[in-house]
Amino acid sequence: MEFSFYNDVINGARKEMVDAGYKELTTPEEVDAVLGKEGTSLVYINSVCGCAGGIARPSAAYMANYEKKPDNFLTVFAGQDKEATERARTYFKGYAPSSPSFAIIKDGEIKAMIERHEIEGHEPVQVVQKLEKYFDEYL
């Protein structure tokens, strides 16, 4: 059986976020080095599902151009970089694992979360509007 198509999908999803200006975190140490310090971060939990490709990643890319910006645009890949994703989720206190999803972290604490149920079945503009609201409130 050939798995190159699946790998192409994963690599494309990774590249899409890096090209949009997000720093990919692949180890728990990389996660702690950024989220454990002062500052604000938008963390996008990447995924290979359709709502990630059609809604979440375009929304994430758009936010890199919004007038207010966090100190860091970050991404971890659920199901791929498992330890990094697990570590990032330790910062999302009060929220169950969800991918794709977005978290706004300020000085190591979760301030806002957009979970999969707020992405799947919605239009990208609806996700962007929530992110803009949170940027305006927390950045």
Side-chain angles (χ1 to χ4, degrees):
M1 180 173 257
E2 182 65 44
F3 289 100
S4 64
F5 175 74
Y6 186 69
N7 290 332
D8 289 346
V9 170
I10 293 166
N11 291 335
R14 288 182 187 277
K15 183 178 183 322
E16 197 173 336
M17 295 315 304
V18 170
D19 288 351
Y22 284 68
K23 178 179 171 54
E24 193 171 34
L25 305 176
T26 60
T27 68
E29 295 79 17
E30 290 175 338
V31 170
D32 287 338
V34 181
L35 296 184
K37 294 185 178 177
E38 285 187 18
T40 57
S41 298
L42 174 62
V43 183
Y44 170 60
I45 295 77
N46 206 349
S47 174
V48 295
C49 69
C51 64
I55 303 165
R57 283 194 298 275
S59 300
Y62 176 85
M63 292 312 294
N65 300 304
Y66 190 60
E67 62 192 44
K68 289 189 176 183
K69 293 182 178 23
D71 298 313
N72 307 290
F73 286 97
L74 308 169
T75 183
V76 294
F77 208 121
Q80 299 302 308
D81 302 317
K82 293 177 184 178
E83 290 95 10
T85 303
E86 212 171 279
R87 182 63 57 88
R89 286 177 170 154
T90 66
Y91 290 87
F92 310 159
K93 290 179 180 24
Y95 294 94
S98 178
S99 59
S101 60
F102 295 91
I104 295 180
I105 305 292
K106 185 173 186 176
D107 301 332
E109 293 184 19
I110 184 90
K111 295 297 179 185
M113 187 93 181
I114 297 176
E115 299 173 90
R116 180 187 177 108
H117 69 88
E118 298 172 277
I119 297 169
E120 187 175 32
H122 293 82
E123 294 296 321
V125 69
Q126 294 171 299
V127 176
V128 164
Q129 287 170 339
K130 285 183 183 184
L131 287 167
E132 287 175 341
K133 176 183 170 272
Y134 291 146
F135 274 33
D136 290 343
E137 187 172 345
Y138 297 110
L139 305 185

